[in-house]
Amino acid sequence: MEEYREDREQYYLAMMKEISEHKDFGRKNPVDIGTECGYTEEDVLDMIHMLQQKKEKGEIYTGTSSDKTGYFLVWKEQKAYIVAVEMRDWKAEVIKELKDFERKDKFDIKDHIFVRTAGNEKKTVLWENLETGEKKRLLTDETIRNLIILDNGILILIKTEMLVWDGDKILTGKKYTESMLRLSEVIQAGDKIYFYYIQNSYICAIDKLLKSRIIKYYVMTDSSEKKKIQEIGNDRNKIFGYWSAIKDSYYSSTMYRDYPMKATKMEGKEFAFKRKIKDHQAFIIKDFMSQNYGLLGTEIYSRKQMESPNGIMNPVCSFSRTILSKSLCNQVIVDYENDIFIGLNNKNDIIKIDMRNEREATVIPVAI
């Protein structure tokens, strides 16, 4: 019986790998992709159920580093490039130059899907499969404020509403309420989408199909100090984060105290420990979790530290990703099972750290 379960699990993992590498992954229903690949609908649904159970246990399958390729948008000498990182041998190469890309363009990369805004008024969305070269385009009637790749399509925020586009058609849409006009930062955690803005003490949430009402969650604190949301992350499909308060200031140096974020009635995760931060930016930084470690800002802590209530702790090591640019600092790829983080440093070089074998980040050279 045990052998049967192991064989079945390997079958499901092979199925998941084939579906995730399909050219339409990220914009079509995975069940439809699975049946197109020759699997039965029942088997695909069983595979999805198995993965959900693994996620709940923290046993998320991501493949080994030997069979993955990561993609980054890199600025060098005032030009933008798409760089592919082969994790098999840690080699990086430029696969294309984005000649008409501007720094004010919005973009997102997830797996091998790249989306971006284009045009002087930013009313065009360009979609591209970086592996197959397939391209698609969407025209909007209003300027695009932001976009992000969800697991069921592309979320597009325009002036008066939000849309989910699957590359072929608009799946769903929802009008904004007035209070959401400034909430342009987005993160998905499980079946919910969260919107936030650094100067606010609340977060808004809606289901990824945009069917539910928009719920507002207020950040709770016992402190009377002025607070602002500073970091947001997703851990095992639950949102977590940190809010910041100024503790003391002298000369030109400011010391912040970062507290775990807890919001009213929100189904999130609250890590217990606190941190001291020397520098913060005027935007919210996304944090990233692996199986045993967390990348918080430019520091890496163990999950054991993060779950400990024993006050302030020193990080295991630093990971000097750039925090000078909102879009670039949030370009991080995590090999969850192998505890590997990949990102960009302040020189726009690609850096990686393997927490099982390293305590200092190494640069992956790329010829441009």
Side-chain angles (χ1 to χ4, degrees):
M1 189 68 175
E2 185 68 28
E3 183 178 347
Y4 170 79
R5 280 199 296 268
E6 291 180 0
D7 290 344
R8 199 67 181 168
E9 181 172 309
Q10 290 304 313
Y11 171 67
Y12 287 148
L13 293 178
M15 182 196 308
M16 186 210 72
K17 185 174 185 296
E18 185 174 354
I19 291 173
S20 66
E21 292 177 350
H22 191 275
K23 63 182 180 65
D24 292 327
F25 183 73
R27 65 184 184 87
K28 286 182 64 175
N29 189 310
V31 177
D32 294 337
I33 296 175
T35 55
E36 184 181 322
C37 293
Y39 299 102
T40 67
E41 181 177 340
E42 182 181 7
D43 277 356
V44 178
L45 291 173
D46 286 345
M47 179 271 292
I48 293 173
H49 179 67
M50 181 206 73
L51 290 178
Q52 187 60 43
Q53 288 182 321
K54 281 185 167 292
K55 284 182 179 180
E56 292 173 357
K57 295 177 182 178
E59 302 171 355
I60 301 175
Y61 175 81
T62 57
T64 62
S65 58
S66 62
D67 60 10
K68 293 175 70 69
T69 300
Y71 297 92
F72 290 87
L73 189 152
V74 176
W75 281 97
K76 285 288 187 179
E77 299 178 354
Q78 304 303 313
K79 295 180 181 179
Y81 302 89
I82 296 293
V83 175
V85 179
E86 298 291 343
M87 301 184 197
R88 180 188 302 275
D89 48 15
W90 295 115
K91 290 185 178 179
E93 66 172 344
V94 173
I95 62 172
K96 67 182 303 179
E97 178 184 345
L98 302 174
K99 294 183 178 180
D100 58 345
F101 190 87
E102 300 177 356
R103 285 189 179 272
K104 61 182 179 180
D105 281 328
K106 304 294 184 180
F107 74 94
D108 194 19
I109 303 175
K110 184 177 181 180
D111 297 323
H112 53 275
I113 303 301
F114 172 47
V115 294
R116 49 165 292 203
T117 59
N120 292 332
E121 297 184 5
K122 310 308 174 192
K123 296 181 179 179
T124 301
V125 180
L126 301 180
W127 178 102
E128 182 175 357
N129 185 318
L130 296 172
E131 292 186 349
T132 67
E134 182 185 9
K135 298 179 181 180
K136 295 181 181 293
R137 183 178 66 161
L138 174 72
L139 302 178
T140 65
D141 294 334
E142 297 178 343
T143 299
I144 299 163
R145 298 166 57 210
N146 206 349
L147 47 72
I148 181 176
I149 302 174
L150 306 175
D151 59 17
N152 63 323
I154 313 302
L155 178 71
I156 302 166
L157 306 182
I158 57 178
K159 184 177 180 181
T160 60
E161 64 181 325
M162 62 185 90
L163 309 168
V164 176
W165 176 55
D166 70 354
D168 292 320
K169 60 184 180 299
I170 299 296
L171 297 178
T172 185
K174 195 176 189 71
K175 294 288 185 181
Y176 284 125
T177 59
E178 185 177 351
S179 64
M180 286 192 63
L181 290 178
R182 299 187 70 189
L183 298 176
S184 59
E185 301 305 315
V186 189
I187 190 171
Q188 180 182 7
D191 292 330
K192 289 187 178 180
I193 307 167
Y194 295 89
F195 303 85
Y196 47 90
Y197 182 69
I198 191 169
Q199 297 299 340
N200 289 333
S201 58
Y202 62 86
I203 296 171
C204 289
I206 191 173
D207 72 292
K208 66 181 182 180
L209 299 177
L210 311 184
K211 300 298 184 183
S212 67
R213 66 185 181 91
I214 298 171
I215 302 174
K216 185 180 289 188
Y217 300 104
Y218 287 90
V219 176
M220 299 171 62
T221 173
D222 296 329
S223 171
S224 61
E225 299 164 301
K226 184 177 180 181
K227 57 184 178 295
K228 60 183 180 180
I229 300 170
Q230 188 61 54
E231 297 175 23
I232 291 285
N234 174 10
D235 182 38
R236 298 169 181 172
N237 282 333
K238 290 187 179 294
I239 192 173
F240 72 94
Y242 290 87
W243 63 271
S244 177
I246 296 177
K247 292 300 293 181
D248 55 76
S249 181
Y250 53 94
Y251 300 107
S252 60
S253 177
T254 300
M255 180 64 72
Y256 296 86
R257 179 70 58 82
D258 275 19
Y259 298 86
M261 188 178 69
K262 182 177 182 181
T264 55
K265 299 181 181 179
M266 186 172 70
E267 294 182 0
K269 174 151 190 175
E270 179 187 1
F271 288 109
F273 86 126
K274 306 175 184 66
R275 300 149 57 209
K276 284 185 178 181
I277 305 293
K278 294 182 179 179
D279 298 299
H280 273 324
Q281 299 299 315
F283 52 82
I284 298 175
I285 296 173
K286 287 185 180 179
D287 291 335
F288 298 87
M289 297 296 299
S290 70
Q291 184 166 265
N292 298 297
Y293 294 92
L295 171 58
L296 309 182
T298 58
E299 299 172 331
I300 294 178
Y301 295 81
S302 70
R303 187 177 287 272
K304 183 178 179 181
Q305 284 179 306
M306 295 177 66
E307 293 175 348
S308 169
N310 298 326
I312 299 172
M313 298 187 183
N314 294 321
V316 175
C317 59
S318 64
F319 185 74
S320 299
R321 58 168 167 156
T322 178
I323 57 171
L324 302 178
S325 165
K326 177 169 61 176
S327 60
L328 298 182
C329 82
N330 292 329
Q331 281 195 94
V332 173
I333 295 174
V334 181
D335 186 334
Y336 186 92
E337 287 187 334
N338 296 309
D339 295 318
I340 297 174
F341 298 89
I342 314 167
L344 298 174
N345 65 14
N346 288 334
K347 296 180 180 179
N348 282 338
D349 293 323
I350 296 173
I351 57 174
K352 69 95 176 175
I353 188 166
D354 177 352
M355 293 302 295
R356 294 187 179 185
N357 299 293
E358 298 172 312
R359 286 299 177 264
E360 294 183 2
T362 57
V363 174
I364 303 174
V366 56
I368 294 180

